[in-house]
Amino acid sequence: PEDMARIVFAEGNFWGRTLAAISSSTDPSSYSGFGPKMPGFDIVEYGNLKALEKVLEDPNVVAYMVEPIQGEAGVVVPEPGYLKGVEEMCRAKNVLFIADEVQTGLCRTGRMLAVDHENVKPDILVLGKALSGGMYPVSAVLCNDEVMLQIAPGEHGSTYGGNPVAARVAMAALEVLRQENLAENSARLGDLMLKEFQSMMDEFPMVKAVRGKGLFCAMVIEEREGKDAMDVCMALKENGLLAKPTHGDIIRFAPPLVLTESELYQSMDIIRKTLREF
């Protein structure tokens, strides 16, 4: 029916700071003070297929947008089979499966795309950030003709869309990812990094949990004597390593895809040295 379409988003999502993006957010720091929100959005628990199945019973639901691994939420990795389940449910209900791979795409998790870990193919896939190797602002929306050609030539435009310099930079970046086998490098070093983090859980009571896939990992920090994840990150900076806190108690680690094994272990030494200060 006209103007009745609904789009479902995963709880804990982050995909920007436009009005539409914050309207789908469950993080008060993103949406507070920016109302009224966009209508037609529903939220479902991330990783919960039963909850998704229930919300998809609404015949007005047209799309489900989800991060294969939630980045801003703290590198939250779903249980194996979740993405395959999402794909099957969306196909059964004729609902568009939209994968937000702005953070996880292009070798970050050890595969070219994070959805490749479960061999699923979303109807729409969103890329950005790494698409230019950090050299130029560029993003992309990928989909097949059945979806893309619903918009005829001239029906949609963008002031900077189709920038030829950005397109060429993106093509060069993709060539580097393939030629230098950066997905394989991310997978191998990511396994080593996660093992190192797991050993730190035994060494440092402050480290409560670790998780990740490829060179995309997180460490959950328990506050001690008033010191939290931000304090640890500031100490890491002083010791020569940059990392980003999120949600107060989580540190995200996303090192360069060109990281070497020796640089990885050098980084692990810095992290251990820093944690000893707490």
Side-chain angles (χ1 to χ4, degrees), residues 190-203:
D191 286 345
L192 294 177
M193 182 164 69
L194 198 56
K195 288 177 182 177
E196 287 289 309
F197 282 178
Q198 289 166 345
S199 72
M200 290 181 200
M201 288 182 61
D202 298 326
E203 297 177 51

Side-chain angles (χ1 to χ4, degrees), residues 9-156:
F9 297 86
E11 182 179 11
N13 73 80
F14 180 85
W15 55 281
R17 293 181 176 86
T18 61
L19 183 58
I22 63 173
S23 294
S24 71
S25 175
T26 55
D27 182 358
S29 68
S30 291
Y31 64 74
S32 295
F34 293 100
K37 293 183 177 182
M38 297 280 287
F41 290 173
D42 295 317
I43 302 296
V44 68
E45 182 182 4
Y46 183 70
N48 189 332
L49 287 174
K50 289 185 177 179
L52 178 62
E53 184 178 28
K54 183 176 181 180
V55 77
L56 292 185
E57 291 299 324
D58 183 344
N60 293 323
V61 170
V62 298
Y64 176 48
M65 181 168 171
V66 63
E67 298 161 83
I69 296 174
Q70 290 192 315
E72 187 68 22
V75 192
V76 180
V77 183
E79 291 294 320
Y82 174 66
L83 296 178
K84 177 62 72 174
V86 168
E87 180 183 51
E88 293 173 352
M89 288 182 185
C90 287
R91 295 283 186 274
K93 295 295 184 178
N94 196 31
V95 168
L96 291 173
F97 171 21
I98 306 173
D100 174 2
E101 292 238 32
V102 170
Q103 292 198 45
T104 58
L106 304 177
C107 305
R108 173 55 55 189
T109 69
R111 302 289 294 272
M112 179 59 75
L113 299 171
V115 293
D116 292 342
H117 288 286
E118 294 198 20
N119 194 31
V120 301
K121 188 175 182 179
D123 299 294
I124 300 175
L125 190 137
V126 187
L127 294 174
K129 297 185 186 295
L131 186 54
S132 72
M135 295 299 295
Y136 208 84
V138 58
S139 58
V141 177
L142 312 181
C143 51
N144 61 25
D145 285 351
E146 183 181 6
V147 175
M148 185 70 79
L149 295 182
Q150 295 302 310
I151 301 175
E155 289 185 350
H156 178 66

Side-chain angles (χ1 to χ4, degrees), residues 203-260:
E203 297 177 51
F204 305 103
M206 191 179 202
V207 180
K208 301 306 295 180
V210 298
R211 55 180 177 255
K213 191 178 287 287
L215 288 176
F216 197 37
C217 294
M219 183 180 287
V220 180
I221 299 294
E222 182 178 65
E223 184 174 324
R224 294 172 64 86
E225 299 180 359
K227 302 295 184 180
D228 60 11
M230 173 61 83
D231 296 295
V232 175
C233 285
M234 296 305 291
L236 284 169
K237 177 178 72 72
E238 294 302 317
N239 290 329
L241 189 143
L242 297 177
K244 182 185 182 300
T246 184
H247 294 285
D249 64 341
I250 302 169
I251 302 177
R252 290 191 296 171
F253 295 90
L257 297 177
V258 293
L259 185 75
T260 65

